[in-house]
């Protein structure tokens, strides 16, 4: 447990040192907050992007208009009783129905927005738009981009590097690949490149490799975040784990349906594997090995409905808990997984990572570029240095990152 003191927020809305379950849940109703900016600016911009990306019909356009009006000026409307997941969402958030979107917990409101967006474009319907990913054009355009070509060519120079140096480089590539988040760029523009080592606010990578010694032949779970430019370095890291037998088997967990803008599904894994396999040089060799690993069971893709739930991992169902308990290490990628792992709360930043993840069934590692307010596990001296920057942008700008591990 962390030190237990007052829950009273300071001037930035951040509580002082607190019990591991004693921090205010983040809402979207504080003017000028990151959460309010997402709800008031990013989501409307995304509705427009989705509208422009497909030749939707009149019915979908009207539904998108109604959703836009509701999230900005209206109150939360429940799913219709005819929706396949009406009961589930009612159970998750019936207390928020009839309230302004900004007054609901940020994690719930953000998740429910994406569920409603899928409903507006009839993703779950029975007509011709059933199963059409509204974010697919953005994912595929990014995957075909020149930036991916450049990143894949860089693998050739790394191919002959010592295994330890290569491992460090690939871990950092997977970590910083989390900046390749289409939702983040809807309103922020392309992220600054930054210093991939100097921007680390916490680095437990040595502990990660200790848990995965070469030749151990264990099973590792990787819970993916974004598709495209983030998923490719994740797959390359998985190849390294398998090639050097840090893992005998890797289970890659993805979303069962579109969730947030660029979250990875099985179709996105396939697209990335094809992109790798068709590339020249080392990238193509990696793609070929991963393709074979899928066929032999050394790499398996799985999904679970919980990955699209507005709930913390502490509330994961028993079958998923058993899966994570059975592996040597679970690696969680990205901001959303981090928020769900530690709780979407305004923790005091020095609250121990181990304390808020003690419930997790087994060793867990978080690889995350900072793009939201939630943060735990910082050393006091690191926090002091970050706060000297003055404006608090380090929490949300994507210029800082972390590797945190709990054995």
């Amino acid at each position: 447990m962390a030190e237990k003191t007052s829950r009273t927020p300071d001037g930035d809305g951040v509580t002082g040192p607190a019990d591991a379950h004693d921090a205010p849940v983040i809402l979207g109703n504080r003017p000028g907050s990151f959460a309010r900016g997402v709800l008031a600016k990013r989501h409307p911009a995304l509705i427009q992007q989705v509208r422009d990306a497909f030749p939707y019909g009149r019915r979908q356009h009207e539904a998108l208009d109604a959703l836009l009006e509701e999230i900005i000026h209206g109150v939360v409307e429940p799913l219709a009783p005819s929706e396949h997941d009406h009961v589930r969402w009612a159970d998750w958030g019936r207390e928020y129905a009839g309230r302004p979107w900004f007054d609901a917990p940020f994690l719930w409101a953000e998740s429910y927005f994406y569920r409603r967006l899928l409903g507006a474009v009839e993703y779950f319907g029975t007509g011709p738009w059933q199963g059409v990913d509204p974010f697919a054009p953005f994912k595929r355009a990014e995957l075909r981009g020149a930036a991916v070509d450049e990143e894949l060519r860089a693998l050739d120079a790394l191919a002959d590097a010592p295994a330890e140096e290569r491992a460090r480089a690939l871990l950092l590539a997977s970590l910083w690949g989390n900046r390749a988040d289409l939702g983040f760029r809807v309103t922020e523009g392309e992220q600054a490149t930054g210093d991939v080592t100097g921007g680390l606010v916490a680095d437990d990578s040595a502990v990660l490799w200790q848990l995965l010694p070469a030749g151990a032949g264990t099973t590792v779970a990787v819970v993916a975040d974004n598709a495209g430019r983030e998923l490719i370095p994740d797959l390359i890291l998985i190849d390294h784990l398998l090639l050097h037998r840090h893992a005998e088997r890797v289970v890659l967990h993805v979303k069962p349906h579109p969730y947030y803008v660029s979250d990875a599904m099985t179709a996105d894994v396939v697209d990335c594997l094809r992109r790798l396999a068709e590339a020249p040089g080392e990238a193509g060799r990696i793609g070929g090995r991963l393709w074979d690993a899928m066929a032999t069971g050394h790499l398996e893709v799985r999904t679970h409905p919980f990955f699209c739930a507005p709930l913390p991992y502490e509330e994961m169902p028993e079958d998923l808990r058993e899966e994570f308990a059975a592996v040597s290490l679970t690696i969680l990628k990205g901001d959303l997984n981090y928020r769900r792992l530690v709780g979407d709360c305004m923790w005091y930043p020095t609250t121990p990572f181990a304390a808020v993840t003690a419930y997790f069934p087994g060793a867990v590692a978080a690889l995350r570029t900072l793009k939201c307010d939630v943060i735990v596990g910082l050393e006091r001296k690191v926090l002091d240095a970050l706060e000297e920057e003055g404006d608090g942008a380090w929490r949300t700008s994507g210029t800082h990152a972390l590797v945190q591990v709990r054995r």
Side-chain angles (χ1 to χ4, degrees):
M1 289 292 181
E3 285 179 48
K4 190 171 184 178
T5 61
S6 172
R7 291 182 59 185
T8 304
D10 63 19
D12 295 321
V14 182
T15 59
D19 181 271
H21 292 83
D22 188 21
V25 172
I26 295 175
L27 306 177
N29 57 9
R30 185 163 66 89
S33 67
F34 176 79
R36 188 173 184 86
V38 169
L39 298 175
K41 296 180 181 179
R42 185 182 300 180
H43 287 175
L46 181 58
I47 288 175
Q48 188 60 50
Q49 283 194 341
V50 168
R51 181 198 303 273
D52 294 343
F54 286 93
Y56 289 125
R58 181 177 178 179
R59 189 170 57 246
Q60 285 122 319
H61 280 279
E62 290 175 347
L64 290 170
D65 288 340
L67 178 59
L68 178 60
E69 176 67 18
E70 178 186 325
I71 63 175
I72 298 301
H73 302 295
V75 296
V76 173
E77 299 290 348
L79 293 179
S82 58
E83 296 285 354
H84 74 283
D85 51 353
H86 163 74
V87 173
R88 187 184 311 156
W89 276 98
D91 184 52
W92 288 337
R94 66 169 49 85
E95 66 265 40
Y96 311 127
R99 294 165 55 179
W101 280 73
F102 301 100
D103 291 345
F106 179 41
L107 177 63
W108 185 91
E110 206 174 3
S111 300
Y112 189 54
F113 165 78
Y114 283 99
R115 170 58 185 89
R116 292 287 304 282
L117 182 63
L118 291 178
V121 299
E122 302 180 7
Y123 179 88
F124 295 114
T126 57
W129 292 97
Q130 181 184 28
V132 177
D133 182 358
F135 312 128
F138 316 138
K139 297 175 183 177
R140 290 171 183 161
E142 182 187 60
L143 201 56
R144 292 192 300 266
V148 173
D149 290 329
E150 182 179 348
E151 289 159 0
L152 295 184
R153 283 194 297 268
L155 291 169
D156 294 334
L158 196 60
D160 298 324
E164 186 174 337
E165 178 183 330
R166 181 180 172 88
R168 174 69 174 171
L170 295 181
L171 182 67
L172 286 173
S174 178
L175 170 64
W176 287 104
N178 183 226
R179 284 183 301 197
D181 180 334
L182 296 169
F184 187 63
R185 292 206 300 272
V186 166
T187 53
E188 298 298 328
E190 186 69 35
Q191 293 91 328
T193 301
D195 178 346
V196 297
T197 54
L200 291 179
V201 299
D203 184 8
D204 293 339
S205 54
V207 180
L208 185 151
W209 293 116
Q210 288 170 10
L211 290 169
L212 301 175
T218 56
T219 298
V220 174
V222 177
V223 183
D225 186 34
N226 297 313
R229 281 180 66 192
E230 179 178 353
L231 186 57
I232 281 183
D234 292 346
L235 289 167
I236 294 169
L237 177 62
I238 288 171
D239 171 71
H240 181 87
L241 296 178
L242 293 171
L243 185 64
H244 294 275
R245 299 205 67 239
H246 295 286
E248 180 70 23
R249 180 168 168 267
V250 174
V251 179
L252 178 62
H253 295 270
V254 296
K255 303 296 192 300
H257 58 72
Y259 193 59
Y260 289 48
V261 185
S262 51
D263 282 21
M265 303 186 297
T266 302
D268 302 308
V269 175
V270 174
D271 287 344
C272 288
L273 287 176
R274 285 204 178 104
R275 183 73 162 90
L276 282 166
E278 293 170 359
E282 180 66 6
R285 289 187 285 273
I286 291 170
R289 287 196 297 264
L290 289 169
W291 201 278
D292 291 342
M294 291 280 287
T296 58
H298 292 289
L299 173 59
E300 181 182 351
V301 178
R302 290 187 189 172
T303 190
H304 193 286
F306 182 76
F307 292 129
C308 290
L311 304 173
Y313 277 105
E314 194 165 11
E315 298 183 35
M316 73 179 85
E318 189 58 33
D319 60 340
L320 192 59
R321 179 176 292 274
E322 291 174 358
E323 283 204 45
F324 290 146
V327 302
S328 298
L329 177 66
T330 298
I331 300 173
L332 297 174
K333 284 296 309 294
D335 242 32
L336 178 58
N337 279 322
Y338 190 84
R339 291 164 62 190
R340 298 182 71 188
L341 175 65
V342 306
D344 203 38
C345 303
M346 289 302 289
W347 300 106
Y348 191 72
T350 60
T351 302
F353 178 74
V356 295
T357 60
Y359 71 88
F360 199 87
V364 62
L367 272 61
R368 172 220 180 187
T369 301
L370 277 58
K371 293 177 294 187
C372 73
D373 288 314
V374 180
I375 184 73
V376 298
L378 297 190
E379 295 181 2
R380 180 77 247 182
K381 62 181 180 181
V382 173
L383 178 59
D384 289 344
L386 290 167
E387 289 182 339
E388 285 180 5
E389 297 178 13
D391 60 1
W394 60 271
R395 288 175 175 268
T396 61
S397 62
T399 56
H400 295 76
L402 60 78
V403 179
Q404 291 177 326
V405 181
R406 197 221 74 216
R407 293 178 182 271

